[in-house]
């Protein structure tokens, strides 16, 4: 399948700033003219002043702030302009048929703009120019006598719309095509994931029938013989990784497994399936000291499928050390939670509902996603450090975390061999709660068989993988 063209606008381009100047000028002129001549009722204020001013300023903000990666979102203010124009036409055209024809034309222009900027019609980007020019020509033609006679009393009220459309024309000449061969976000993608658009029909609709993550979780238990792992840990400690332990091995093996089976790095949000691609977000809870009174907090570590065991060790230990260095074990998450606790209960309930709504549509800001322990690829917790067996930890209905793992303390088992001899072996028990909607059972089973092989030969984790399989091309 041919990759869609994706566009961007650079802030280094003078046309970009000239476009921004025209649109800001349009918003200012619209406000000034409205103040000079007065306005009608509140409906006119909202539809003919507030709506176009908000649209033009939002357009400028999207282009200047996110134009490098998310130019496609400029379709949002364009649809606002479509609504503004349609309302104006409906109020000033007496013929119902003509009004409907204008609405159809406006919607048609909006669809073309959206399809082009999101890349589906990337080959006909030149169509954006007539989309911007057509209404300019129509306005000037309709007021041609005033243009010829230079009747400024008639032309001045037209300036906000003409400046807005002229700015749109300048943007067309500022648009460039991404030529780096990489994937760039488009409609349907989230800040923390790329929408999977190649799912089988059943996989696409499953999340609508099985909504809650906790009711869609499968439980998996496995015991791993750790003779080789213990030997490997002692070797790494002799090499200078003094705090290297079983957590690092289990996590490094999981990361290596994702390199071969990338669907484990998917998640569900808003009944859609997304892929984190090569961003493996590992979450864990840490305590300053092992006591019942010691505070705890959550950290998030960004790993990649190419990370070795040493990479995992250094990234994880750096994250833990940075938080433990604080006097009260405070993280940015703790500061956010303390701020939320200051909100009255009734208002807090609304704030949480709003956060869930924003999360459903993928509109949560990146900084909140980074702080949230409910958004990530994997949560791993050590029950062994508490001296108890592992538990099946529930998944979180809020957020999008699809995998929760827990491992217990080491145990010894006596096993009878084929020759009748008895051998003592060491094991560690691991339990997983898995969101069954991100991939099928066969895929999970294949991954865990590979995971077992990695843990039987942990030395392979010292080198990067020979190949990293991409979830989506």
């Amino acid at each position: 399948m041919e990759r869609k063209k994706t566009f961007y606008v650079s802030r280094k381009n003078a046309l970009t700033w000239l476009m921004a100047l025209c649109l800001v000028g349009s918003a200012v002129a619209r406000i000034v003219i409205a103040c000079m001549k007065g306005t009608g009722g509140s409906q006119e204020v909202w539809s003919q002043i507030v709506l176009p001013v908000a649209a033009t300023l939002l357009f400028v903000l999207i282009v200047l702030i996110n134009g490098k990666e998310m130019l496609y979102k400029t379709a949002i203010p364009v649809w606002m302009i479509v609504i503004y124009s349609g309302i104006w036409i409906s109020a000033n055209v007496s013929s119902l048929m003509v009004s409907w024809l204008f609405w159809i034309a406006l919607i048609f222009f909006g669809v073309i703009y959206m399809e082009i900027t999101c890349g589906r019609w990337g080959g006909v980007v030149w169509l954006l120019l007539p989309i911007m020019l057509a209404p300019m020509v129509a306005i000037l033609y309709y007021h041609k006598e005033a243009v010829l006679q230079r009747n400024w009393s008639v032309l001045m009220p037209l300036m906000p719309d003409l400046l807005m459309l002229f700015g749109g024309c300048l943007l067309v000449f500022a648009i460039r095509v991404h030529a780096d061969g990489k994937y760039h976000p488009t409609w349907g993608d989230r800040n923390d994931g790329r929408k999977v658009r190649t799912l089988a029909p059943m996989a696409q609709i499953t999340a609508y029938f099985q909504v809650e993550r906790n009711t869609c979780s499968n439980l998996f238990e496995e015991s791993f013989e750790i003779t080789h792992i213990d030997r490997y840990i002692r070797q790494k400690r002799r090499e200078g990784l003094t705090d290297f332990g079983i957590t690092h091995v289990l996590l490094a093996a999981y990361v290596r497994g994702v390199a071969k089976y990338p669907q484990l790095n998917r998640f569900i949000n808003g009944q859609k399936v997304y892929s984190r691609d090569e961003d493996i977000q590992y979450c864990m809870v840490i305590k300053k000291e092992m006591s019942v009174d010691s505070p705890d907090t959550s950290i998030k570590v960004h790993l990649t499928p190419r990370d070795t065991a040493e990479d995992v060790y250094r990234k994880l230990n750096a994250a833990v050390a940075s938080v433990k260095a604080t006097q009260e074990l405070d993280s940015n998450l703790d500061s956010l939670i303390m701020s939320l606790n200051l909100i009255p209960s009734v208002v807090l309930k609304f704030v949480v509902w709003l956060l869930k709504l924003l999360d459903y549509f993928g509109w949560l800001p990146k900084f909140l996603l980074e702080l949230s322990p409910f958004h990530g690829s994997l949560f791993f917790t050590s029950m062994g450090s508490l001296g108890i067996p592992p538990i099946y930890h529930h998944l979180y209905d809020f957020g999008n975390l699809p995998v929760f793992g827990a491992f217990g303390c080491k145990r010894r088992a006596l096993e009878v061999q084929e020759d009748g001899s008895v051998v003592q072996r060491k094991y560690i028990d691991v339990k997983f709660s898995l969101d069954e909607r991100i991939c099928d059972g066969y895929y999970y089973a294949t991954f865990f068989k590979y995971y077992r092989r990695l843990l039987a030969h942990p030395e392979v984790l010292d080198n990067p993988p020979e190949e990293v399989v991409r979830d989506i091309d």
Side-chain angles (χ1 to χ4, degrees), residues 10 13 22 35 144 167 214 231 260 267 387 412 466 472:
S10 174
N13 193 328
C22 288
C35 293
K144 57 182 180 293
N214 230 9
R231 188 181 303 117
K260 188 170 184 178
F267 64 90
R412 299 179 184 274
E466 296 180 359
I472 312 173

Side-chain angles (χ1 to χ4, degrees), residues 60 91 97 256 311 366 414 466:
V60 171
M97 179 63 71
R256 184 59 52 87
D311 295 328
K366 282 186 176 181
L414 297 176
E466 296 180 359

Side-chain angles (χ1 to χ4, degrees), residues 144-421:
K144 57 182 180 293
E145 293 184 3
V147 173
L148 294 173
Q149 298 173 7
R150 297 182 181 179
N151 187 346
W152 293 106
S153 62
V154 176
L155 293 177
M156 282 302 295
L158 305 177
M159 291 306 296
D161 290 333
L162 292 175
L163 279 172
M164 178 178 64
L165 293 168
F166 182 66
C169 292
L170 292 175
L171 180 73
V172 175
F173 293 102
I175 291 177
R176 300 290 183 269
V177 179
H178 279 292
D180 54 10
K182 298 179 181 178
Y183 178 83
H184 295 271
T186 185
W187 285 112
D189 294 335
R190 291 169 49 96
N191 289 331
D192 54 349
R194 174 182 172 185
K195 184 179 177 182
V196 181
R197 297 174 171 85
T198 55
L199 292 172
M202 179 59 73
Q204 293 182 29
I205 201 171
T206 296
Y208 286 93
F209 293 100
Q210 298 174 300
V211 179
E212 300 297 331
R213 186 170 290 101
N214 230 9
T215 58
C216 298
S217 60
N218 288 330
L219 307 179
F220 178 80
E221 179 181 3
E222 182 66 286
S223 297
F224 298 106
E225 207 280 326
I226 60 171
T227 301
H228 296 294
I229 295 177
D230 277 348
R231 188 181 303 117
Y232 179 70
I233 290 173
R234 289 193 295 270
Q235 175 190 338
K236 303 307 288 184
R237 289 178 177 176
R238 286 195 297 269
E239 292 174 359
L241 308 183
T242 54
D243 296 324
F244 194 85
I246 190 70
T247 301
H248 302 101
V249 179
L250 294 174
L251 183 55
Y254 189 92
V255 167
R256 184 59 52 87
V258 173
K260 188 170 184 178
Y261 299 100
Q263 291 185 24
L264 267 292
N265 204 26
R266 291 180 176 181
F267 64 90
I268 303 284
N269 243 124
Q271 278 73 65
K272 303 294 182 184
V273 182
Y274 298 86
S275 173
R276 295 189 191 278
D277 201 13
E278 295 190 8
D279 183 20
I280 304 173
Q281 299 181 10
Y282 168 61
C283 305
M284 71 176 294
V285 173
I286 61 173
K287 294 177 73 71
K288 196 174 187 69
E289 57 186 35
M290 301 307 293
S291 69
V292 293
D293 297 325
S294 176
D296 57 36
T297 190
S298 297
I299 63 170
K300 182 178 292 185
V301 183
H302 291 267
L303 305 170
T304 75
R306 294 176 173 80
D307 284 342
T308 63
E310 184 172 343
D311 295 328
V312 171
Y313 170 82
R314 298 196 184 283
K315 289 181 179 181
L316 179 55
N317 283 26
V320 172
S322 65
V323 175
K324 284 193 172 184
T326 61
Q327 183 176 359
E328 299 296 333
L329 195 67
D330 290 334
S331 65
N332 292 331
L333 173 63
D334 297 311
S335 300
L336 175 63
I337 292 175
M338 285 190 288
S339 300
L340 291 175
N341 284 333
L342 298 175
I343 302 175
S345 299
V346 176
V347 180
L348 179 59
K349 191 174 182 66
F350 170 76
V351 170
V352 172
W353 173 85
L354 181 60
L355 290 174
K356 289 181 178 179
L357 181 67
L358 294 175
D359 189 38
Y360 183 90
F361 290 105
W363 295 342
L364 275 182
K366 282 186 176 181
F367 81 93
L368 285 181
L369 293 172
E370 182 62 27
L371 294 178
S372 171
F374 309 110
H375 297 79
S377 306
L378 168 72
F379 214 116
F380 231 141
T381 183
S382 170
M383 299 289 100
S385 61
L386 306 179
I388 62 174
I391 63 170
Y392 288 116
H393 197 290
H394 63 87
L395 299 176
Y396 302 118
D397 286 330
F398 175 65
N400 53 38
L401 196 85
V403 178
F404 206 118
F407 62 93
C409 49
K410 299 175 183 178
R411 63 176 176 85
R412 299 179 184 274
L414 297 176
E415 297 181 354
V416 180
Q417 305 300 298
E418 291 183 357
D419 61 359
S421 61

